[in-house]
């Protein structure tokens, strides 16, 4: 499918969405979020797609919501407009999302990266929630996901000062999985994505759902959820194949069923 503000492609089980509004550092306007949701819908429906890599360009993953667009918008626009549904769509994507972040990853861009399941950062990446400088606050999950990722005090520092942190700092704070030289950023993200894509797809989706549930439920509810998903995995052909292949000392051939 052709998009105006992003490029979507697929190579085997790994799909890529590359944000592409270079003149405004990939600022996330309504159209870009719409297209991102449409691309995710297409990849969700395509059984060949096992993992999606989300990236930007060298200068920016995304420098946040499009501030130009905010200029004429009201509280009612924010409450009743499509933004909430768009972010919810991204959150609900059932397959693993690997963010490959280079350059600015700010505001809604940082919130988008945090919606991904794994974050690989180039040494050049800069993270932050600078909304406070605009007289607003993070509105796409930043005040909730950042403290869960880095702890209350570090999240407060970023959100209340609007300061940026380096990739290395983000790594030390536990916001990103690894930091690599910019020239190998995509190689590293694709290596991870391909590894995950080689696993049993249904089990991968169930595991993603279970881990995400751990962040928003008490332990007993999460354990109950995990137990049910664990049992559900036993209904898949891939479980038979995985166990049989281990016992036969061969590589499993998972079918996603
Ligand atoms: N929205 C719209 N345009 C943006 C933008 C944004 N978030 N970020 C950068 N741009 C535009 C700039 O206006 C500029 O356009 P022109 O060339 O037409 O002037 C172009 O991108 C390049 O940016 P700069 O010249 O500013 O580049 P720089 O290297 O000097 O600075 C920067 C880079 C530090 C990222 C700076 O652009 C900046 O601070 N951007 C805003 C970051 C921000 O506040 N993000 C949060 C937005 S609110 C939000 O995200 C809320 C939410 O999701 C819910």
């Amino acid at each position: 499918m052709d998009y105006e503000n992003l490029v979507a492609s697929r190579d085997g089980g790994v799909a890529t969405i590359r944000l592409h509004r270079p003149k405004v550092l990939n600022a996330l306007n309504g159209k870009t979020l719409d297209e991102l949701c449409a691309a995710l819908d297409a990849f969700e429906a395509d059984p060949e797609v096992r993992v999606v890599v989300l990236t930007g360009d060298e200068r920016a993953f995304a420098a946040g919501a499009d501030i130009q667009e905010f200029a004429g918008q009201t509280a009612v626009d924010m409450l009743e407009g499509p933004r909430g549904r768009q972010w919810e769509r991204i959150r609900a994507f059932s397959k693993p999302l690997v963010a490959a972040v280079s350059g600015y990853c700010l505001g809604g861009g940082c919130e988008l990266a945090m919606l991904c399941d794994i974050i690989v950062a180039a040494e050049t990446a800069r993270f932050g929630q600078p909304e406070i400088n605009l007289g607003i606050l993070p509105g796409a999950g930043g005040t909730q996901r950042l403290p869960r990722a880095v702890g209350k005090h570090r999240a407060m520092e970023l959100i209340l000062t609007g300061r940026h942190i380096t990739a290395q700092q983000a790594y030390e704070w536990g916001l990103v999985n690894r930091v690599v030289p910019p020239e190998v950023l995509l190689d590293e993200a694709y290596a991870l994505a391909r590894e995950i894509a080689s696993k049993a797809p249904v089990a991968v989706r169930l595991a993603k759902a279970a881990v995400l549930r751990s962040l928003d439920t008490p332990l007993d509810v999460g354990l109950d959820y995990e137990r049910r998903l664990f049992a559900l995995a036993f209904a898949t052909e891939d479980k038979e194949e995985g166990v049989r292949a281990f016992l036969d000392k061969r590589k499993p051939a998972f079918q996603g069923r």
Side-chain angles (χ1 to χ4, degrees):
M1 229 196 268
D2 278 343
Y3 300 100
E4 200 176 297
N5 295 335
L6 54 84
V7 180
S9 57
R10 179 171 75 78
D11 181 6
V14 177
T16 302
I17 298 175
R18 186 164 60 82
L19 300 171
H20 187 60
R21 290 187 81 206
K23 287 189 181 140
V24 287
L25 306 180
N26 295 329
L28 301 165
N29 63 355
K31 179 151 181 87
T32 307
L33 287 172
D34 254 351
E35 291 187 347
L36 179 54
C37 292
L40 291 176
D41 282 344
F43 290 146
E44 187 89 80
D46 182 348
E48 298 297 315
V49 173
R50 307 274 171 97
V51 180
V52 176
V53 172
L54 181 57
T55 193
D57 54 40
E58 219 171 285
R59 204 163 161 223
F61 178 75
D66 190 319
I67 300 170
Q68 194 74 45
E69 216 174 49
F70 275 180
Q73 287 181 322
T74 66
V76 175
D77 293 331
M78 287 299 113
L79 279 174
E80 294 182 359
R83 299 187 75 83
R85 284 193 304 280
Q86 290 165 330
W87 289 108
E88 185 49 33
R89 170 66 193 99
I90 302 164
R91 190 190 72 82
F93 188 65
S94 74
K95 303 176 185 183
L97 284 168
V98 177
V101 176
S102 176
Y104 293 111
C105 184
L106 303 174
C110 188
E111 291 165 304
L112 179 58
M114 285 192 287
L115 273 169
C116 294
D117 303 301
I118 292 177
I119 305 177
V120 183
E123 287 156 350
T124 55
R126 294 289 176 274
F127 296 83
Q129 296 289 162
E131 290 89 342
I132 203 76
N133 297 323
L134 302 169
I136 55 173
L137 64 151
T143 65
Q144 305 303 301
R145 291 199 179 91
L146 193 58
R148 283 165 167 80
V150 304
K152 171 185 152 187
H153 300 106
R154 289 161 170 168
M156 283 290 189
E157 182 180 334
L158 286 184
I159 290 169
L160 300 184
T161 67
R163 281 188 195 170
H164 305 173
I165 54 169
T166 61
Q168 184 57 32
Q169 184 77 81
Y171 175 72
E172 285 163 20
W173 284 7
L175 182 59
V176 307
N177 293 68
R178 63 198 67 187
V179 181
V180 298
E183 59 276 14
V184 298
L185 174 69
L186 284 174
D187 292 343
E188 188 71 25
Y190 284 126
L192 270 164
R194 277 194 298 270
E195 187 175 339
I196 298 166
S198 74
K199 311 295 178 190
V202 177
V204 164
R205 291 203 298 279
L206 295 178
K208 169 171 172 165
V211 173
L212 288 181
R213 184 58 65 91
S214 77
L215 300 175
D216 56 21
T217 52
L219 183 61
D220 57 343
V221 177
L223 288 172
D224 184 55
Y225 186 65
E226 181 197 74
R227 203 159 34 240
R228 288 161 196 274
L229 296 192
F230 183 67
L232 191 56
F234 276 66
T236 63
E237 290 175 22
D238 282 347
K239 172 261 165 186
E240 292 302 321
E241 168 63 8
V243 171
R244 176 66 41 216
F246 178 83
L247 296 174
D248 293 348
K249 301 190 186 305
R250 61 175 171 81
K251 270 186 79 165
F254 293 123
Q255 303 299 327
R257 287 195 293 271

